[in-house]
Amino acid sequence: MEYRVSTEQSEMDFEVIHDFISNSYWAQGMPPELLRKALSNNLCFGVFDENNQQLAFTRMITDKATFGYLADVFVLESHRGLGLSKLMMTSIMEHPDLQGLRRIMLATRDAHGLYAQFGFNAVDTPETLMQIRLENPYVELSIFS
């Protein structure tokens, strides 16, 4: 089977993306309108089969000059083990808009081995990083309204 990677927003299957992400450990319960806004403001990558069915997705949150944050990476469970995550990561790392970034970051609970193959490593000075983290962000969204 042949696979292809696209960054065209018009090709992304929002239903597939929302179904996976809103049920993920990192974004459970994300409202569709919030995800639509996130996708429209990011460089998105989708992996598609020869029938144009979306099988994998990620987005790079970036200024395309100095910084990128890799987020919402997934491969549909029924298509894992076929090299799709490596295909997608190769496309990301070779993308012209992402060359020369000073820093690319991500957070993962269970895919360290994949990302290490592409040059990612543990933060050498984690004490310099800070965050604001809501425990239940899609319930607590109203605090920013």
Side-chain angles (χ1 to χ4, degrees), residues 62-73:
T62 184
D63 60 11
K64 299 181 182 177
T66 64
F67 181 78
Y69 185 87
L70 190 61
D72 295 332
V73 181

Side-chain angles (χ1 to χ4, degrees), residues 118-131:
F118 293 91
F120 287 86
N121 51 53
V123 176
D124 52 351
T125 55
E127 66 277 5
T128 65
L129 299 176
M130 297 179 71
Q131 68 178 351

Side-chain angles (χ1 to χ4, degrees), residues 70-116:
L70 190 61
D72 295 332
V73 181
F74 73 83
V75 175
L76 294 178
E77 192 168 339
S78 59
H79 292 85
R80 292 181 185 165
L82 302 174
L84 301 183
S85 60
K86 290 179 185 175
L87 173 64
M88 190 164 49
M89 286 302 301
T90 298
S91 296
I92 292 164
M93 300 309 287
E94 293 176 352
H95 193 280
D97 288 343
L98 304 176
Q99 301 309 301
L101 298 182
R102 180 175 65 227
R103 181 174 301 211
I104 301 174
M105 299 185 77
L106 62 82
T108 184
R109 184 167 73 182
D110 55 8
H112 297 79
L114 167 67
Y115 300 117

Side-chain angles (χ1 to χ4, degrees), residues 21-22 24 32 42-43 55 58 72 75 103 117 123 143-144:
I21 291 175
S22 66
S24 68
N42 288 242
L43 179 56
L55 309 176
T58 191
D72 295 332
V75 175
R103 181 174 301 211
Q117 295 174 51
V123 176
I143 68 168
F144 293 113

